[in-house]
Amino acid sequence: MATDSSLLLSLVEEFVSGQQDTKAADTTKGVKNGQFTVLQLVEALGLSLTSSQHDTRARGVKLLSEVLQECYSCLNEREVEVLVVFYENRLKDHYVIIPHVLQGLKALTKSSALPPGSAVSILKSVFQDTHVQSLMIQERSCVYSILINLMESREQELKGLGSDFVFGFVQSMDGERDPRNLLLAFQIARNIVVHGYNLGKFTEELFEVTSCYFPIDFTPPPNDPHGIKQEDLVLSLRAALTGTPLFAEFLIPLIIEKLDSDVKSAKVDALQTLADCGPVYGHKELSPFLSGLWASLRREVFQTASERVEGAALSALSALTAALSRSVITSNADDALHTLLDLVLKDCQHHLSEPDLRLVWPSAKILQAVGGASYRACLRVESAVLPLLLEQYTRRTQSAQRRTLLEVLQGFVQPTEASTPAEGEECVFLQFGASLCAVVFSALSESGAATQITATRILTALAQHTGVLSPSDVELAVDHLTTLILQEDDPHVSSAVEECVGSLSPLHPAAFSSRMLPKLKEHIFTEPMIQGDAPDSQNAVRQRCVSALARVTSESSLLQESTHILLAALSAAHTGSGSFSVDDVISVCQSLQRIAEHAPLTDADIGRFFHDVITPRLLGLAVQAAVQDEGGRSPLAEEAVLAAVAPIISTSCSRLSTDCAAVSAARSVSLFLDGDVTFLTDNNLPPSLQLLKAPSPQVSQLVCLLTASVCSLPRSVEIPEIDRLLEALEEVGCTHTHTFTHTSAAKCYAGLINKRPSGPALDAVLQRCVKRVSAELDNSASCLRIQALTLLLWVTKGLLLRYHPLSTTLSDKLFQLLGDRSLGAVVAEGFSLLMSDSPDVLNRGCHSDVRIMYRQRFFAENNSKLVQGFNSAPPEEKAGYLKALSHIMNNLPRQVQLTELPALLPLFLEALVCVEVCVQLSTLSCLQPILMDPPPALTNQLEALMPRLLALTTSPAMKVRIASLHCVHALSRLPDHMVLPFRTRVLKALAVPLDDKKRLVRKEAVTARGEWFLLGSPGR
């Protein structure tokens, strides 16, 4: 004990007299370890705390406060009480001691052992004995933190102070200018008004002391270490000002005054503040100011040239309407909502019927904002506006005016959450249902694309309102949509119709099933020349019908009916009926894929339908086309079609339940290994097919469907006979001469080993594969080196994604092959495969094992090898290293690029003079975002970089010319002193692409040269 006491005295002496600040940490550690208590520390500091020298007292109090900041949780109630009394007395001491006293009090207010009554005592002492605004920034921050801590832990005690607490805070905050402290002060003000503190007679004083900062005009200094943003201050102040209706009589006139400002940001801030008042204020607060508010808001919508100001004004108007709609009024009080609506309708309604429709849009936006704010407002506005718009549409004859009125009408019928009628309330559109449908159907029958698109959107909106569309209206709407699908070839109209179909079909499935699907089916299976149409025209109709079927699938029965039509189309294409082209078949497959992507496969019935019907049917058709149609007459035997079928199977298998996925895996493996076709529907295939051993590319390319079937399954699904399957895939991948076949086999192999658990079985498979691949690649005379390289690339990617140790060995093999004369260019291009996302396999959608930041890890492990290989390679081999580097860097996050750029800059400069266009383009695309904010390493190399970029502006490749001009343009944003020496040279060089034969190049050249021409100009 004596030893501990001596140690404590020593630490105190060294801190106070020796000015060794590090001893505070040692003292804190001793208190935490229990060597001595805080009260023992106070006793040890006795002489220091009572010294006649204020500097000595300050050091003593500083030590105690620093210890308390770390050890406040160790204190008991008695210790806290003693320390509070001590610190309160010290507040009357010399000014040099006050900062440390405040730090100590801040620590004590965090303690859960603070005795009852201490919070009030602390605040009274702070308010009475300190003039807060005369303190330094840090000390003022301490005062605000003390208030925040006490408000969080001792709210009821502080409320007992009544308005004295508010008065003390107002005095403390008055005159604050530091943004960090203002954030704390605004937080305190918000807590006061939101948590119900008694403002008493100081309501206006509290408002004045906070509102003097409104609106916030603060621009943080460059490289601000504190990270204070203007938005933080704006939102914090807004929360304080709008937190109580007691401020309404002061705040609303202030907002109206600020709306007269010429500063756009001030207007927006004022309008957004007004909008935030909506949830807090009621008719009592808003009624006296309605006319003034309406005049200001109307002006901002009708006269502003800023969309941002207009949007903020409409949001504020909507918030006011919602606030008045919620208010409960007495029987003898005027309805403020009706007062506001009367003002709005009086000033806006007549503009909807003016001959030139000049002010129709601002008026419509105001009315829509008001009507969409509440059901009560909607009822009043729609009842006044809809008859007028419907009459105007019928009376007008000019198509432009009718289109404008239709677009305005769309805004009024668009449902909003706030205006939706509650249960038992009638929809406002019911009385106008027949008239609205007549207008929509008339517009759908017109020839203008814009009119038809707007009409489909109105129809979609009307369908969301219960009961507005009668059964006959729905049937007529479906007929109109069907007609547009069959007759309108405008892609924008087709897209709008499909959107409408997707919205209406789940609401009215019977109408679509009985009226649309039969007609679409009829036109899908119509022979092109039967109707006398040109084949191209009929094919376009067929593709629109097929695309529309993909949208009529929101309901289970429609989904099954649509997919049966599409599968029948594939069967017809296979048998040769209907004259289906390859493009038609691909369109059908794409529609099936969209259905698979959006279908709720987690629904047991739909999942089972895909598993039992769609996947077997697709596999059966593909196998039949490959085996029975050696002449290539069936479109389903085409490589492009199989590539479109694979994503359908992959998407559906990736979302199967565990049981269905296991069955699907067993079926697919047995089909491709043993030729088991028993599960395929409508097949007359011979038994024991050898799909993986067939020499014919038409049969062997079916391996892409195996990839889709087994590589998309969840990792928890066990693949049967996986060793045998991997051996067969390895054989196909290494020996087959058909590119699509051996590439698909390599993908399947990589997808399986990526998911296979680590262990001896996986190691044995990989060892066999690597041995075989290496043997082929090391034999320069082998004719199967491309196949071996393809398998190596995909296996490396599969292992790299899961951080398998063997991926490093395989990567080293690829770096060695960059110097191979026959394979070097292919290997360099392969690095793009390693680093980019694969859409069909080895991605998270297929449940592959993809670790985060695998690209960064690959780069960190191999960038030095790449640089060394480049430096040691002969000139004719350097292009391969540059291409590999550009592919790797292009797929890295920008922050990694910036970090690694200094070391790799020499290689980038070499890449810009490389003769290969792909290397130049990849390097430029990597450089362009970096040049927007270049690191010092790049700005120091401008003399070497600029000539290379200017030379590429006349490259034979258009994409290179455009990309180099982008980079030259980006360099113009650098500080003038860096780029002015190059100005003359750049302007002269950019004169050439100004006359380029390609418009896109000329456009970029004009933009870039204009920026360089203005370099050094005043005000640039």
Side-chain angles (χ1 to χ4, degrees):
M1 181 65 70
T3 304
D4 291 343
S5 178
S6 300
L7 174 61
L8 179 58
L9 289 171
S10 173
L11 291 171
V12 169
E13 177 67 23
E14 291 179 18
F15 182 89
V16 175
S17 302
Q19 302 289 314
Q20 296 186 31
D21 289 348
T22 56
K23 297 304 177 182
D26 297 335
T27 308
T28 301
K29 183 178 179 182
V31 174
K32 284 185 173 181
N33 294 340
Q35 287 181 273
F36 28 82
T37 66
V38 174
L39 290 183
Q40 288 174 336
L41 173 61
V42 174
E43 292 174 2
L45 284 167
L47 294 176
S48 302
L49 298 177
T50 58
S51 170
S52 61
Q53 300 294 320
H54 53 258
D55 290 334
T56 302
R57 296 200 305 277
R59 292 291 294 179
V61 175
K62 180 180 180 182
L63 175 59
L64 179 59
S65 296
E66 290 190 10
V67 171
L68 288 178
Q69 287 178 50
E70 299 294 330
C71 304
Y72 63 85
S73 60
C74 306
L75 301 174
N76 58 41
E77 186 173 314
R78 175 59 184 158
E79 290 171 332
V80 174
E81 184 178 4
V82 172
L83 290 168
V84 166
V85 173
F86 166 75
Y87 275 115
E88 287 176 354
N89 289 330
R90 291 302 93 193
L91 281 174
K92 302 180 179 68
D93 208 333
H94 195 274
Y95 70 89
V96 299
I97 302 174
I98 301 303
H100 311 306
V101 175
L102 292 173
Q103 290 287 353
L105 285 173
K106 176 183 173 183
L108 291 175
T109 57
K110 297 179 184 177
S111 174
S112 58
L114 191 68
S118 294
V120 173
S121 176
I122 290 172
L123 283 184
K124 286 184 176 180
S125 297
V126 170
F127 290 154
Q128 292 173 6
D129 299 330
T130 59
H131 183 258
V132 176
Q133 288 307 310
S134 66
L135 300 175
M136 301 296 288
I137 292 175
Q138 191 63 37
E139 286 72 64
R140 300 202 302 274
S141 176
C142 272
V143 173
Y144 298 136
S145 297
I146 289 170
L147 295 182
I148 290 173
N149 293 339
L150 293 177
M151 292 177 81
E152 290 176 351
S153 61
R154 298 291 189 273
E155 181 176 296
Q156 292 306 317
E157 289 186 35
L158 300 190
K159 286 183 177 179
L161 283 170
S163 59
D164 290 344
F165 172 66
V166 177
F167 177 69
F169 168 67
V170 168
Q171 283 190 316
S172 301
M173 179 187 174
D174 192 12
E176 182 61 66
R177 299 186 64 181
D178 181 72
R180 290 162 290 172
N181 287 338
L182 282 174
L183 279 177
L184 298 175
F186 293 157
Q187 180 183 345
I188 296 169
R190 177 192 174 277
N191 290 340
I192 289 174
V193 299
V194 171
H195 294 170
Y197 284 77
N198 179 19
L199 304 186
K201 59 184 178 181
F202 300 112
T203 302
E204 185 172 0
E205 283 75 6
L206 180 59
F207 175 79
E208 290 295 338
V209 81
T210 50
S211 65
C212 64
Y213 301 97
F214 179 81
I216 294 290
D217 182 15
F218 168 71
T219 302
N223 305 317
D224 179 19
H226 307 293
I228 303 294
K229 300 178 182 177
Q230 181 182 12
E231 184 181 5
D232 299 330
L233 290 167
V234 168
L235 295 178
S236 186
L237 174 59
R238 187 178 299 159
L241 293 178
T242 61
T244 174
L246 297 176
F247 284 167
E249 60 178 308
F250 314 115
L251 180 58
I252 295 180
L254 178 63
I255 289 175
I256 294 174
E257 175 190 336
K258 297 302 179 184
L259 288 177
D260 292 331
S261 170
D262 294 330
V263 181
K264 183 171 71 174
S265 60
K267 285 178 178 285
V268 172
D269 194 359
L271 290 166
Q272 291 174 344
T273 302
L274 179 59
D276 281 5
C277 292
V280 181
Y281 293 179
H283 76 97
K284 178 182 176 182
E285 291 78 23
L286 295 173
S287 295
F289 306 101
L290 282 182
S291 58
L293 285 171
W294 165 240
S296 297
L297 294 173
R298 178 188 59 195
R299 181 184 67 242
E300 298 308 326
V301 177
F302 275 96
Q303 299 178 13
T304 186
S306 168
E307 291 185 6
R308 190 177 175 214
V309 173
E310 180 189 85
L314 293 172
S315 298
L317 188 56
S318 181
L320 289 180
T321 307
L324 295 175
S325 301
R326 288 191 303 268
S327 298
V328 178
I329 58 176
T330 59
S331 58
N332 59 348
D334 293 333
D335 190 342
L337 176 63
H338 285 175
T339 302
L340 176 62
L341 295 180
D342 287 341
L343 292 171
V344 172
L345 290 171
K346 177 183 176 183
D347 289 346
C348 295
Q349 187 175 358
H350 65 278
H351 290 306
L352 301 181
S353 57
E354 289 180 347
D356 56 358
L357 298 179
R358 185 170 56 88
L359 294 176
V360 66
W361 273 116
S363 300
K365 289 177 181 179
I366 289 175
L367 290 166
Q368 288 163 9
V370 170
S374 71
Y375 173 71
R376 289 177 59 200
C378 179
L379 202 61
R380 174 80 185 278
V381 171
E382 303 292 356
S383 299
V385 170
L386 285 183
L388 184 61
L389 288 175
L390 294 172
E391 181 210 346
Q392 289 291 311
Y393 183 85
T394 305
R395 190 165 56 83
R396 304 273 180 169
T397 56
Q398 295 183 16
S399 58
Q401 292 180 341
R402 287 166 66 89
R403 183 173 68 248
T404 298
L405 290 167
L406 204 63
E407 290 169 351
V408 169
L409 183 62
Q410 178 193 341
F412 282 103
V413 300
Q414 201 70 37
T416 64
E417 183 179 355
S419 64
T420 303
E423 186 176 352
E425 293 179 331
E426 185 180 88
C427 177
V428 66
F429 298 103
L430 279 178
Q431 57 182 316
F432 305 107
S435 301
L436 287 169
C437 289
V439 168
V440 170
F441 298 150
S442 171
L444 288 174
S445 303
E446 293 187 10
S447 58
T451 301
Q452 293 171 335
I453 291 171
T454 305
T456 60
R457 292 171 180 166
I458 295 176
L459 183 59
T460 301
L462 290 176
Q464 310 306 314
H465 298 287
T466 305
V468 174
L469 296 180
S470 66
S472 59
D473 291 332
V474 172
E475 292 179 353
L476 191 54
V478 173
D479 291 342
H480 276 288
L481 294 174
T482 305
T483 302
L484 289 175
I485 293 171
L486 299 178
Q487 296 180 0
E488 286 295 333
D489 55 2
D490 187 295
H492 299 293
V493 174
S494 298
S495 177
V497 170
E498 289 181 14
E499 289 288 338
C500 186
V501 166
S503 299
L504 266 64
S505 58
L507 301 174
H508 308 283
F512 281 86
S513 176
S514 62
R515 304 185 76 86
M516 177 176 282
L517 294 188
K519 292 183 179 179
L520 297 182
K521 181 178 180 181
E522 176 187 348
H523 281 78
I524 288 173
F525 292 97
T526 298
E527 293 281 353
M529 301 308 294
I530 288 180
Q531 295 179 334
D533 295 332
D536 290 344
S537 174
Q538 179 59 24
N539 286 341
V541 173
R542 175 179 285 167
Q543 292 189 17
R544 290 200 300 274
C545 293
V546 165
S547 181
L549 279 176
R551 301 306 301 263
V552 193
T553 55
S554 303
E555 202 269 337
S556 178
S557 61
L558 288 177
L559 183 146
Q560 296 190 29
E561 196 171 347
S562 298
T563 50
H564 277 304
I565 295 174
L566 295 172
L567 290 173
L570 293 179
S571 298
H574 170 58
T575 58
S577 60
S579 300
F580 284 86
S581 66
V582 171
D583 289 339
D584 291 337
V585 176
I586 291 175
S587 179
V588 171
C589 293
Q590 289 171 345
S591 290
L592 282 170
Q593 184 188 355
R594 285 198 294 273
I595 293 174
E597 288 174 348
H598 297 100
L601 295 182
T602 50
D603 184 306
D605 293 337
I606 295 178
R608 178 67 64 179
F609 174 71
F610 271 82
H611 175 261
D612 293 343
V613 177
I614 295 181
T615 301
R617 186 77 174 273
L618 291 173
L619 287 172
L621 288 172
V623 173
Q624 289 180 49
V627 174
Q628 298 176 352
D629 195 17
E630 294 291 342
R633 292 184 299 274
S634 171
L636 274 79
E638 297 292 332
E639 180 181 310
V641 173
L642 290 177
V645 171
I648 308 171
I649 298 175
S650 176
T651 302
S652 59
C653 288
S654 68
R655 301 169 64 192
L656 291 177
S657 64
T658 303
D659 295 339
C660 289
V663 174
S664 179
R667 286 176 174 178
S668 300
V669 171
S670 64
L671 170 64
F672 281 88
L673 285 182
D674 304 320
D676 181 7
V677 297
T678 55
F679 74 97
L680 301 181
T681 54
D682 299 331
N683 75 80
N684 52 356
L685 298 166
S688 302
L689 292 172
Q690 298 294 318
L691 298 181
L692 292 181
K693 296 181 180 179
S696 168
Q698 188 164 291
V699 177
S700 63
Q701 67 185 1
L702 292 175
V703 71
C704 72
L705 304 184
L706 172 64
T707 304
S709 300
V710 298
C711 291
S712 57
L713 298 173
R715 271 181 273 172
S716 58
V717 176
E718 184 176 350
I719 307 297
E721 298 189 76
I722 188 169
D723 289 325
R724 183 179 162 209
L725 179 61
L726 287 171
E727 185 177 356
L729 289 169
E730 179 187 322
E731 182 67 23
V732 175
C734 287
T735 61
H736 212 288
T737 56
H738 185 230
T739 301
F740 184 72
T741 296
H742 73 73
T743 301
S744 299
K747 289 181 180 181
C748 190
Y749 191 96
L752 292 173
I753 64 166
N754 172 267
K755 297 180 184 178
R756 193 168 189 186
S758 300
L762 177 62
D763 295 340
V765 169
L766 290 174
Q767 184 178 2
R768 182 186 69 225
C769 176
V770 172
K771 182 178 179 181
R772 180 169 187 176
V773 167
S774 298
E776 293 290 351
L777 292 173
D778 293 340
N779 181 8
S780 59
S782 173
C783 60
L784 300 175
R785 298 184 79 204
I786 287 292
Q787 288 88 329
L789 175 60
T790 303
L791 183 57
L792 174 63
L793 284 168
W794 280 102
V795 170
T796 303
K797 183 176 180 69
L799 298 178
L800 172 66
L801 294 179
R802 59 180 285 181
Y803 289 175
H804 193 281
L806 187 60
S807 64
T808 303
T809 304
L810 300 184
S811 300
D812 291 342
K813 182 67 176 177
L814 291 173
F815 282 114
Q816 293 174 12
L817 290 171
L818 282 172
D820 189 288
R821 294 193 175 185
S822 60
L823 294 179
V826 183
V827 174
E829 198 63 41
F831 279 91
S832 175
L833 184 152
L834 291 181
M835 301 299 288
S836 59
D837 293 324
S838 175
D840 51 353
V841 71
L842 292 177
N843 57 62
R844 290 187 174 88
C846 294
H847 308 288
S848 297
D849 188 355
V850 182
R851 306 294 177 88
I852 61 172
M853 299 177 68
Y854 75 90
R855 296 181 179 89
Q856 291 90 315
R857 176 171 176 163
F858 178 81
F859 176 78
E861 291 177 350
N862 296 294
N863 66 330
S864 58
K865 301 173 188 177
L866 196 62
V867 175
Q868 291 171 6
F870 173 82
N871 292 332
S872 60
E876 63 273 10
E877 296 177 6
K878 289 183 181 291
Y881 287 92
L882 294 175
K883 184 185 294 187
L885 170 67
S886 62
H887 286 314
I888 293 172
M889 291 294 290
N890 260 321
N891 286 282
L892 291 175
R894 183 170 179 269
Q895 192 57 46
V896 179
Q897 294 176 347
L898 291 173
T899 304
E900 302 296 335
L901 186 64
L904 298 175
L905 188 56
L907 272 69
F908 273 95
L909 294 176
E910 286 289 332
L912 291 176
V913 295
C914 179
V915 294
E916 293 201 31
V917 171
C918 62
V919 176
Q920 295 173 349
L921 191 59
S922 183
T923 305
L924 289 169
S925 63
C926 184
L927 276 177
Q928 198 264 335
I930 296 176
L931 291 175
M932 302 298 290
D933 184 19
L938 190 58
T939 57
N940 293 335
Q941 293 289 333
L942 288 179
E943 193 64 52
L945 177 64
M946 192 67 75
R948 289 169 167 79
L949 293 176
L950 294 177
L952 292 176
T953 60
T954 57
S955 167
M958 183 187 75
K959 291 184 178 180
V960 173
R961 298 199 299 275
I962 293 175
S964 61
L965 287 168
H966 280 152
C967 291
V968 173
H969 183 195
L971 287 174
S972 69
R973 297 184 176 92
L974 295 180
D976 288 354
H977 70 276
M978 291 184 181
V979 292
L980 269 176
F982 302 97
R983 180 174 180 271
T984 303
R985 194 190 322 176
V986 171
L987 292 177
K988 182 177 179 181
L990 293 184
V992 178
L994 287 177
D995 291 330
D996 197 277
K997 60 183 179 181
K998 295 293 186 179
R999 183 185 61 83
L1000 293 176
V1001 178
R1002 296 195 302 271
K1003 178 183 175 183
E1004 295 301 332
V1006 168
T1007 305
R1009 195 169 188 270
E1011 289 297 325
W1012 277 89
F1013 187 84
L1014 293 173
L1015 274 181
S1017 301
R1020 177 180 175 269

